[in-house]
Amino acid sequence: MTDTFKHRGLRQKLVETVKAKGIQSEPVLKALGKIPRHLFMDSGFLDHAYQDKAFPIAADQTISQPYTVAFQTELLEIKKGDKVLEIGTGSGYQTAVLCELGARVYSIERQQELFKKTSKFLPKLGYRAKKLIFGDGYKGLPEEAPFDSIIVTAGAPFVPKALLKQLKIGGRIVIPVGDDVQTMTLIIRKGQKEFEKHDYGEFRFVPLLEDKN
Ligand code: SAH
């Protein structure tokens, strides 16, 4: 678990790349510059950790592309202390970004192998989510609702109603919606039954699957 001068240099270059692609939030860029992404990846991909690309992790899943992580996080407009629900813990990289921004993070993962691995790994780096849960994110986390924001990091065929219900009034959900290709979608809860939807172009994610595994 080492983070060298070389890693830090490559990371700064990655931050510049992500910035050049349009990410403006300084706290988000700072978080990307701080988190040792190479430690979230399997050894076979270490050399690639600071490319702006998604890579395979365990259980046939992927660690999201840094630009995508930054894009989704920027849309959430996190404030320190916000209660945030993440669906799709995966490697824990996005979880770490949320922790860096001072969010209180609840994160659900449906693959037991990843849940176990990431639950052990994140605290070693000093990232303490409020709760990591092995479960099905389609259901959200009703016992901890409402949330200031919800981020879904897998491609959802539709927006699960349970998640909309668990948003605070004024809260935001960022979710990629679609089957083969997903449209990045931001929904802001304006009132008890009022939701405002914004679309932000195409992305590709592994699918949001039902049940746990
Ligand atoms: N944020 C992660 C992305 C991992 S890929 C990272 O950057 O590493 C998406 C993850 O969502 C996978 O780990 C997958 O197992 C998980 N997932 C898919 N469907 C899910 C569901 N219904 N509930 C919770 N997690 C789910």
Side-chain angles (χ1 to χ4, degrees):
M1 297 252 292
T2 53
D3 188 30
T4 63
F5 185 72
K6 185 178 156 215
H7 289 126
R8 287 196 286 277
L10 291 171
R11 206 146 64 227
Q12 267 327 305
K13 278 199 181 143
L14 173 65
V15 169
E16 291 310 317
T17 302
V18 167
K19 199 171 173 179
K21 289 183 180 176
I23 302 300
Q24 293 177 350
S25 161
E26 281 302 328
V28 172
L29 292 168
K30 206 171 148 204
L32 258 57
K34 197 163 163 198
I35 302 169
R37 187 174 188 251
H38 61 287
L39 300 180
F40 291 74
M41 298 178 42
D42 290 334
S43 51
F45 293 97
L46 283 186
D47 290 346
H48 305 300
Y50 295 106
Q51 295 178 12
D52 188 25
K53 286 186 185 160
F55 285 101
I57 52 175
D60 282 337
Q61 302 304 316
T62 55
I63 178 170
S64 299
Q65 182 181 341
Y67 171 72
T68 306
V69 172
F71 192 87
Q72 286 195 275
T73 311
E74 187 166 69
L75 285 178
L76 290 175
E77 296 187 355
I78 305 272
K79 296 180 295 300
K80 231 184 165 109
D82 274 2
K83 192 170 186 182
V84 180
L85 176 64
E86 177 189 24
I87 312 296
T89 317
S91 68
Y93 181 72
Q94 171 76 67
T95 318
V97 172
L98 296 169
C99 289
E100 280 290 347
L101 296 175
R104 293 177 290 142
V105 187
Y106 296 76
S107 184
I108 308 179
E109 171 57 54
R110 70 176 287 281
Q111 293 277 2
Q112 189 160 36
E113 180 186 354
L114 281 171
F115 163 73
K116 283 190 177 157
K117 191 172 173 192
T118 301
S119 300
K120 264 201 205 150
F121 169 71
L122 277 178
K124 282 190 195 157
L125 284 191
Y127 293 115
R128 295 185 195 282
K130 279 278 169 192
K131 238 189 223 175
L132 298 175
I133 300 112
F134 171 50
D136 177 5
Y138 272 95
K139 302 188 177 83
L141 200 61
E143 64 270 33
E144 294 290 351
F147 295 96
D148 293 292
S149 58
I150 301 178
I151 175 171
V152 179
T153 69
F158 55 88
V159 180
K161 284 233 168 63
L163 298 184
L164 294 177
K165 251 195 202 162
Q166 293 172 29
L167 265 187
K168 276 186 194 168
I169 308 280
R172 303 159 82 86
I173 176 169
V174 175
I175 177 169
V177 185
D179 292 321
D180 296 336
V181 181
Q182 293 85 33
T183 302
M184 192 60 78
T185 309
L186 163 69
I187 300 171
I188 305 171
R189 185 170 200 175
K190 292 289 190 176
Q192 196 58 32
K193 289 188 178 167
E194 246 181 286
F195 294 89
E196 186 183 281
K197 184 170 160 285
H198 305 262
D199 289 348
Y200 291 92
E202 290 184 346
F203 289 80
R204 271 173 208 277
F205 287 81
V206 294
L208 187 72
L209 300 172
E210 304 226 23
D211 296 329
K212 37 190 188 181
N213 187 14

